[in-house]
Amino acid sequence: MRFFRMLGGYFENNLSAESDRWILWFPVAMGVGIAGYFSLPGEPPFWVGPVALIVCAVLAFRLRDRVLPFVAVVFLLGAALGFSAAQVRTKAVSSPVLDRAYGPVIVSGRVLSVELLGKVHRVVLDRVQIPALAPRDTPERVRIRLNARGRSAQSDAGGKNNLVIAPGVWIDVLAVLRPPSPPVAPGAFDFQRRAYFQRLGAVGYGLGPARLYPPRDETFSFAFFAAVERLRQRISQTVIAHMGTDSGAMGAALMTGERGSIAPEVLTAMRDSGLAHLLAISGLHVGLVAGLLFSAIRLILVMIPALSLHHDVKKWAAFPALGGAFFYALLSGGAVPTQRALVMVTLVFCAIVFDRRALSLRTIAWAGFIILLIEPESLLGASFQMSFAAVVGLISFYEAANERLRHHPSPAWGFLGRVGGFFLVVAMTTVVAGLLTAPLAVFHFNRIADYGVAANVLAVPLTAFWVMPWAIAAFVLMPFGAEQVALAPMGWGIDAIIAVAREVASWPGAVHLMAALPMVSLAALTLGGLWLALWRTRWRWLAAGPIGAALVLAMTARPPDVLIDGSAHLLGIRDTNGRFYFSNLRARRFVRQSWLRRAAMTKMDVRRWDDAKSRAEDRAVKPPPISCDALGCLYTHSGWRLSVATDPMALDEDCRNADVVVSLEGTPKDCAAALVIDRSDLRRAGTHALWITPQGVRVETVNGARGDRPWVLRRGDVGR
């Protein structure tokens, strides 16, 4: 008991010393509650969140004079608020979802948004009508891919070919629809969950030309956002037309957030060089637009003595700069990093108007609170996690650095010293942001760009001082038809950035592949990192415990030995020699590539398990772990025998001799194998992952990991 009293006293003393930082943990508590909600195996009763919220509020009021209990209860209050917000959001977005594939079938609806992917339009429709479905079973929104032929057959009600695919236009198209796809493996990205919160009840592709009809019955809000979307399209098309393919596509991404036209080779170079963050409109872009507008407007006002001598023009400049930031965020599509940046910019300018400190961890805490309250599901996305991790870490780092520098006299820097200092700050910022986002990059993308510092030292200043100022100038000049004056030099800067990306990406070892991190490791790293970033006194170094444990868990984790796709069309086996054997090298390409990426392997590590030539080559190194005949294949690992029956005639023998039997059809009820996985198991539980050790076989399934939640589909054809 004495130990616990001492421990409680230690925490209470440190909490009292950092009372001004308590507020920073409230959005963290909301995140814990949201994560708890999404990790549940089943949907909780709707009253759970509100009741917990009320109970915690009452307890917080009763315990307000006791530091440690009060802080603990307020943290639980934040968690209850996040939990309740997630419950409300899940209930609010509920809409019908297809339970199987349909089509070809005529699909009618209003274009809600358009995304250009090379020569293909991907449209989201609302007010959907599908003759084969009753209204109550018809999805609220569907996403359909339309090819070039589908776009060319455009006609309005009068027969004139003057309509284009744009928000507000109505279309009829013959299409094939299917439910949103489940994760490709346990723990992988859950497109079904994202589609649920986007109200997407089906995805598919068009067959033949789509008929287009003029907008009708538009509300003011829809007409406004449709006009913004059409403006985005026009700006993107103008930029690409003036700049050319590669630089124009990237220019459109920087100005409107439209990245679908960027060539795959350029995207790969940007990603492998650590410059992909420049393509996502976030704090850097919104901050540059707002800062450049603020500085320019303030400079103009200062040059007018009648204003500058009698008024605080700095406050006057804040309002049009904030308006410009809102317009830019609206035009860019409003992704989560953009929302976070816009909230922060708004708070910064409010601080300027009210003579408060502009940029601090409280600003980012408010941004997190607002976004999590409105869109709690964004917590699970890479955009939210990487954006907030980088900003929280950078602000904390520079707060600590400024605290240390305050006690040392500043040297008198010359011009060259200031330039060198600027590039040093850029390099430090890149290193800090890279270290903070590296675990998230591994978790979501299974890769780290090793030379990101070198690329960012060159590309970030070029973006900040050349590309973005010309982008703002292009926005200003577009209404007058003079945008080419700004787009030409902007294109030169983008060409230079692409050249830097290609050069750095070509260096040996530019990308380091890593296997997927376990969720518990990411959670421990996140909480440890927040503990280190949000506190200021020495007890912040207690974060070394969870961070160290997370690293150990990450290093000891290993990918599954066997993966069986939920459609029963693909099986994969990973051996200890660094090779991945697949049952098929043609079907399920996306799934196969995802399995490779999550195992930190490339296509050079791929083998087809019944390819005699590949087996002969492998025997020169080590005998392959798989043997196949006309009836199926046998895989041996750690003393366990796994049989894959491709012909029902093999089942009797496999059930007698194998420990694990995988059948692409049904299996006999009296099968004596220790573990049996057949087609019905795959359709019910989704993709299976097996870890084989001498002690036994551990099985995880996609639907078993997700539980019985509103976004989890368990019937019908949900294949990709």
Side-chain angles (χ1 to χ4, degrees):
M1 292 296 295
R2 182 179 179 183
F3 170 77
F4 289 108
R5 285 196 298 269
M6 291 176 58
L7 187 63
Y10 172 79
F11 275 92
E12 187 166 349
N13 292 336
N14 281 281
L15 284 170
S16 300
E18 299 208 55
S19 57
D20 60 324
R21 313 285 278 193
W22 293 356
I23 190 65
L24 303 179
W25 284 91
F26 197 79
V28 177
M30 290 181 63
V32 170
I34 293 169
Y37 168 81
F38 282 105
S39 64
L40 291 176
E43 194 65 17
F46 194 74
W47 54 264
V48 170
V51 168
L53 197 62
I54 294 171
V55 170
C56 289
V58 172
L59 287 176
F61 179 78
R62 296 287 299 273
L63 299 172
R64 63 188 182 278
D65 296 327
R66 301 173 61 186
V67 173
L68 189 58
F70 174 75
V71 172
V73 171
V74 170
F75 189 90
L76 293 176
L77 177 67
L81 179 60
F83 191 96
S84 301
Q87 282 190 293
V88 171
R89 175 72 172 164
T90 300
K91 192 75 172 178
V93 300
S94 179
S95 60
V97 180
L98 292 187
D99 62 352
R100 61 182 178 85
Y102 281 85
V105 64
I106 295 293
V107 179
S108 304
R110 181 179 62 177
V111 176
L112 188 63
S113 64
V114 182
E115 185 179 5
L116 184 62
L117 303 175
K119 296 182 178 180
V120 174
H121 273 149
R122 192 165 69 181
V123 301
V124 175
L125 306 179
D126 68 351
R127 299 193 181 181
V128 179
Q129 294 182 2
I130 303 174
L133 294 175
R136 67 176 182 275
D137 299 324
T138 302
E140 183 175 334
R141 296 175 183 175
V142 301
R143 193 181 72 188
I144 301 177
R145 187 175 69 251
L146 303 176
N147 57 27
R149 181 168 173 253
R151 297 201 315 274
S152 65
Q154 299 166 354
S155 61
D156 61 10
K160 298 180 181 179
N161 295 325
N162 60 357
L163 289 177
V164 296
I165 296 178
V169 171
W170 292 71
I171 73 169
D172 292 339
V173 61
L174 183 66
V176 174
L177 298 178
R178 59 176 179 262
S181 301
V184 298
F189 172 70
D190 193 343
F191 177 66
Q192 281 185 355
R193 184 177 60 207
R194 188 176 75 171
Y196 177 88
F197 285 97
Q198 293 177 340
R199 295 186 173 93
L200 275 180
V203 296
Y205 54 91
L207 301 172
R211 294 185 59 86
L212 276 64
Y213 303 92
R216 64 179 186 270
D217 302 330
E218 291 186 344
T219 63
F220 174 79
S221 60
F222 181 86
F224 172 77
F225 286 106
V228 171
E229 284 292 321
R230 290 192 290 268
L231 179 60
R232 288 183 69 199
Q233 286 188 38
R234 288 199 297 271
I235 292 175
S236 297
Q237 293 166 1
T238 300
V239 172
I240 293 173
H242 282 300
M243 287 190 190
T245 305
D246 288 346
S247 58
M250 187 167 166
L254 293 173
M255 295 180 69
T256 67
E258 180 58 65
R259 291 178 285 177
S261 298
I262 301 177
E265 179 267 335
V266 175
L267 276 175
T268 300
M270 295 291 290
R271 183 174 60 245
D272 293 350
S273 61
L275 296 179
H277 66 95
L278 295 180
L279 300 177
I281 294 179
S282 57
L284 174 65
H285 308 79
V286 177
L288 285 172
V289 169
L292 290 169
L293 286 174
F294 175 76
S295 301
I297 296 170
R298 185 182 181 188
L299 179 61
I300 293 172
L301 295 177
V302 166
M303 295 171 65
I304 305 175
L307 294 177
S308 59
L309 294 176
H310 300 91
H311 302 280
D312 190 348
V313 295
K314 179 176 68 173
K315 296 181 180 181
W316 286 25
F319 292 101
L322 182 58
F326 266 97
F327 173 76
Y328 181 55
L330 188 65
L331 197 64
S332 67
V336 170
T338 312
Q339 296 173 23
R340 187 266 307 161
L342 183 60
V343 172
M344 289 192 65
V345 165
T346 302
L347 294 174
V348 165
F349 283 124
C350 288
I352 291 174
V353 171
F354 294 105
D355 297 315
R356 296 290 188 268
R357 185 181 177 188
L359 189 63
S360 67
L361 284 173
R362 290 200 174 199
T363 308
I364 190 66
W366 275 108
F369 170 78
I370 293 171
I371 292 174
L372 290 178
L373 190 63
I374 297 173
E375 294 184 354
E377 73 277 5
S378 63
L379 175 76
L380 308 177
S383 295
F384 180 95
Q385 295 172 12
M386 299 185 77
S387 175
F388 275 88
V391 175
V392 169
L394 287 171
I395 293 177
S396 178
F397 174 79
Y398 283 112
E399 274 188 353
N402 289 335
E403 187 70 25
R404 289 182 176 273
L405 292 175
R406 191 178 302 168
H407 303 291
H408 300 280
S410 301
W413 297 103
F415 174 75
L416 293 178
R418 292 178 180 177
V419 172
F422 171 78
F423 282 99
L424 178 61
V425 169
V426 172
M428 291 175 60
T429 300
T430 303
V431 170
V432 173
L435 289 174
L436 293 168
T437 58
L440 297 169
V442 172
F443 181 82
H444 292 285
F445 310 117
N446 310 110
R447 60 197 300 126
I448 295 177
D450 293 339
Y451 304 129
V453 174
N456 278 274
V457 165
L458 297 174
V460 170
L462 193 57
T463 303
F465 296 111
W466 184 265
V467 173
M468 291 307 296
W470 285 116
I472 296 174
F475 279 128
V476 175
L477 294 173
M478 276 183 182
F480 308 101
E483 64 275 1
Q484 177 61 21
V485 175
L487 290 178
M490 180 183 174
W492 304 336
I494 291 175
D495 288 338
I497 293 173
I498 294 175
V500 170
R502 285 172 171 161
E503 173 61 27
V504 174
S506 68
W507 294 352
V511 178
H512 185 66
L513 299 179
M514 295 187 67
L517 286 178
M519 179 64 73
V520 64
S521 179
L522 181 67
L525 277 172
T526 300
L527 293 177
L530 287 168
W531 189 274
L532 183 64
L534 299 185
W535 298 127
R536 286 182 298 189
T537 57
R538 290 182 178 179
W539 77 323
R540 68 194 305 184
W541 298 110
L542 292 175
I547 292 176
L551 293 176
V552 171
L553 288 172
M555 290 185 292
T556 56
R558 65 185 180 93
D561 300 300
V562 179
L563 283 161
I564 311 166
D565 181 44
S567 68
H569 292 150
L570 183 68
L571 293 88
I573 294 176
R574 183 186 62 86
D575 74 354
T576 56
N577 300 322
R579 289 165 297 195
F580 219 130
Y581 293 84
F582 289 101
S583 60
N584 194 314
L585 297 183
R586 293 183 180 179
R588 312 286 284 173
R589 178 181 177 185
F590 177 83
V591 173
R592 187 173 66 251
Q593 291 175 342
S594 299
W595 289 356
L596 284 172
R597 189 190 72 245
R598 291 178 58 81
M601 293 182 176
T602 67
K603 61 182 180 181
M604 302 300 294
D605 305 312
V606 172
R607 302 288 189 277
R608 180 180 167 119
W609 62 23
D610 58 353
D611 186 340
K613 182 179 179 181
S614 295
R615 293 204 308 272
E617 292 174 351
D618 291 340
R619 285 195 182 96
V621 180
K622 188 176 181 180
I626 303 170
S627 59
C628 297
D629 57 27
L631 301 180
C633 294
L634 182 66
Y635 170 59
T636 304
H637 186 292
S638 300
W640 288 75
R641 290 171 297 177
L642 182 146
S643 172
V644 179
T646 57
D647 190 309
M649 294 178 61
L651 285 175
D652 288 339
E653 181 180 353
D654 290 342
C655 286
R656 291 194 305 269
N657 300 324
D659 302 298
V660 180
V661 173
V662 178
S663 172
L664 302 186
E665 302 296 337
T667 54
K669 293 183 179 180
D670 58 350
C671 185
L675 175 63
V676 178
I677 301 171
D678 61 17
R679 191 178 186 87
S680 62
D681 297 318
L682 297 172
R683 290 174 66 87
R684 183 183 65 256
T687 297
H688 284 52
L690 281 64
W691 285 262
I692 303 175
T693 65
Q695 290 73 36
V697 179
R698 179 167 64 91
V699 181
E700 290 187 12
T701 65
V702 161
N703 288 344
R706 296 191 297 165
D708 186 15
R709 308 307 300 272
W711 51 86
V712 177
L713 303 178
R714 295 182 179 275
R715 299 190 309 274
D717 180 10
V718 295
R720 190 178 291 270

